[in-house]
Amino acid sequence: MHQTHEARRDALRARLVEHELDAMLVTDLRNIRYLTGFTGSNAALLVHSAEDKRSVFCTDGRYEQQAAAEVGQLEQVIERQCGSALTRRAAADRERFRRLGFESQHVSVDTYDALLEQAEGVELRRAPGLVERLRMVKDESEIEAIRMACAAADRALAEVIEQGEVRAGMTERQIARELESRMMDNGAAGPAFETIVAAGAHSAIPHHRPTDAELCTGDLVKIDFGALVDGYHSDMTRMLVVGPPADWQRELYQLVRTAQAAGCQAALGGAELAAVDRAAREVIERAGYGERFLHGLGHGVGLDVHEAPRLAKEATGTLAAGMTVTVEPGVYLADRGGVRIEDTLAVREDGNEVLTLSTKELVTV
Ligand code: ZN
Ligand code: ZN
């Protein structure tokens, strides 16, 4: 695993040269995990453009042993204010660290002031998103972790349905808790995010938070949830209906399902991000519901549940093999109900691989 992290730092070092930076101060914990394997809650990493052995890792005393095991070969500094400590370190060797990039998208104004105080003789330069751009393309070990997270969610949903736990009289919160504990029984460290269970009119709220409302016969039930495995997330939305579906529910479901299939088909290496969004959106627009598709088509999934790239109307860039993204069109009819169907998939050289395998039939419970 250490080789993987070293190769990732090498890739970052190549970017630093392109951006004319001597070094990069990485302070976002997900990015630090990606570059070093460290899983603690306080750290910073200084990566030098010239060679990896000039990189320095900092954490505080609580994580000294953990860092020795996880981070291995990197030089380590033990201090509480990690970003400041490593900036001071760069300033002490300012001939080699004249231009120091930092993650301006993650650093607070107060932290920036603290860094400036230590940066004497060093030019601090905003360098947002460098590591995030590397993270967009996953290696096989990352895709495997996401696949395991998807599998834990698939099994949890199957169990909850088989055990009859989605039924009239159960509350949204009960079902959400049940799903979360079953994901953990199936190998997840925890939920990927707060599980969404939205019944009846609540299903028309894209990010509804589960309540004590009970499911009623005739309700559409939207379940959007995911698992966390080895730091990687999964993300899936499935729809159920309590009792036989009404015609409008079946029709709405079929529409979104057709749009979702069109989005999946378009999610190929080389495809423009906006074109993938358009492929699904056009299906919904043609049916007259364009105004009721309230969000982008999807997002990258990895160490963060929402990360680059975004599949959206205004997105720029293209998909590439190794990217893991969601495809999740939705149509939301206020006060009636809404439908969203979401898969997590991995873009491959010759197509894509859907990682969330639960049935996409409208399940009747
Ligand atoms: Zn989701
Ligand atoms: Zn999502």
Side-chain angles (χ1 to χ4, degrees):
M1 212 38 202
H2 286 157
Q3 278 170 336
T4 307
H5 298 122
E6 191 178 336
R8 292 172 184 171
R9 292 194 297 274
D10 287 345
L12 175 62
R13 293 193 302 100
R15 296 294 174 95
L16 298 185
V17 174
E18 283 167 25
H19 285 79
E20 299 181 328
L21 294 168
D22 295 314
M24 179 82 196
L25 178 68
V26 183
T27 50
D28 175 69
L29 286 168
R30 300 277 162 85
N31 289 340
I32 291 168
R33 180 174 186 157
Y34 180 74
L35 295 169
T36 67
F38 180 70
T39 61
S41 71
N42 182 32
L45 174 69
L46 188 62
V47 176
H48 196 279
S49 64
E51 50 182 344
D52 195 44
K53 67 174 199 275
R54 283 192 205 153
S55 299
V56 187
F57 175 84
C58 181
T59 185
D60 67 65
R62 294 171 298 166
Y63 294 115
E64 193 169 355
Q65 290 181 44
Q66 182 180 330
E70 290 180 336
V71 178
Q73 76 278 38
L74 286 178
E75 184 187 342
Q76 288 175 30
V77 172
I78 301 298
E79 223 176 291
R80 183 86 206 176
Q81 304 296 337
C82 297
S84 294
L86 293 185
T87 304
R88 194 180 322 120
R89 170 81 178 229
D93 191 5
R94 67 189 59 150
E95 287 307 306
R96 288 204 178 98
F97 289 87
R98 278 170 306 151
R99 287 181 302 257
L100 177 60
F102 73 102
E103 301 190 289
S104 49
Q105 81 280 29
H106 294 302
V107 169
S108 72
V109 176
D110 286 353
T111 301
Y112 179 63
D113 283 346
L115 296 182
L116 270 182
E117 234 169 72
Q118 304 298 330
E120 214 191 313
V122 169
E123 182 194 346
L124 278 180
R125 280 204 190 171
R126 290 167 192 247
L130 293 191
V131 185
E132 282 84 349
R133 282 201 280 286
L134 297 178
R135 279 170 46 188
M136 286 199 293
V137 173
K138 274 72 178 172
D139 63 33
E140 283 307 315
S141 72
E142 296 181 283
I143 293 174
E144 181 56 23
I146 296 168
R147 186 184 287 114
M148 283 164 59
C150 291
D154 281 332
R155 283 196 289 268
L157 181 61
E159 288 176 15
V160 164
I161 292 170
E162 270 163 31
Q163 307 286 321
E165 282 158 338
V166 185
R167 61 169 190 272
M170 291 287 279
T171 70
E172 294 171 340
R173 267 156 51 86
Q174 283 172 323
I175 296 166
R177 273 205 307 269
E178 198 57 46
L179 276 168
E180 290 180 357
S181 86
R182 285 176 186 274
M183 285 193 287
M184 281 151 77
D185 292 343
N186 282 291
F193 52 90
E194 200 181 340
T195 295
I196 296 171
V197 176
H202 289 161
S203 61
I205 303 165
H207 273 188
H208 172 71
R209 176 170 282 156
T211 67
D212 289 321
E214 291 181 1
L215 273 56
C216 300
T217 303
D219 278 354
L220 273 175
V221 184
K222 183 180 70 200
I223 299 181
D224 184 353
F225 69 118
L228 183 65
V229 172
D230 290 342
Y232 286 82
H233 299 76
S234 73
D235 192 0
M236 173 169 76
T237 308
R238 289 296 185 266
M239 300 297 308
L240 296 85
V241 61
V242 186
D247 288 345
W248 73 270
Q249 292 170 330
R250 202 181 298 120
E251 283 158 23
L252 196 60
Y253 189 84
Q254 270 319 318
L255 172 64
V256 175
R257 191 169 171 192
T258 305
Q260 206 262 350
C264 288
Q265 248 170 33
L268 303 172
E272 297 280 340
L273 301 173
V276 183
D277 178 277
R278 201 181 316 122
R281 196 171 298 279
E282 273 174 0
V283 174
I284 291 170
E285 282 172 352
R286 275 199 300 271
Y289 289 108
E291 299 283 293
R292 306 314 308 153
F293 180 3
L294 301 172
H295 48 74
L297 181 65
H299 52 85
V301 183
L303 287 170
D304 281 301
V305 69
H306 293 114
E307 58 180 47
R310 264 174 5 101
L311 301 176
K313 264 188 214 174
E314 66 280 7
T316 55
T318 55
L319 282 180
M323 290 183 177
T324 44
V325 294
T326 67
V327 173
E328 49 176 311
V331 174
Y332 308 93
L333 307 178
D335 303 325
R336 282 185 89 187
V339 171
R340 177 166 68 247
I341 303 172
E342 172 180 30
D343 283 316
T344 297
L345 48 86
V347 179
R348 296 299 193 178
E349 293 292 347
D350 56 352
N352 61 53
E353 176 188 352
V354 177
L355 301 174
T356 39
L357 300 176
S358 297
T359 180
K360 277 182 273 189
E361 297 295 326
L362 177 57
V363 174
T364 302
V365 292

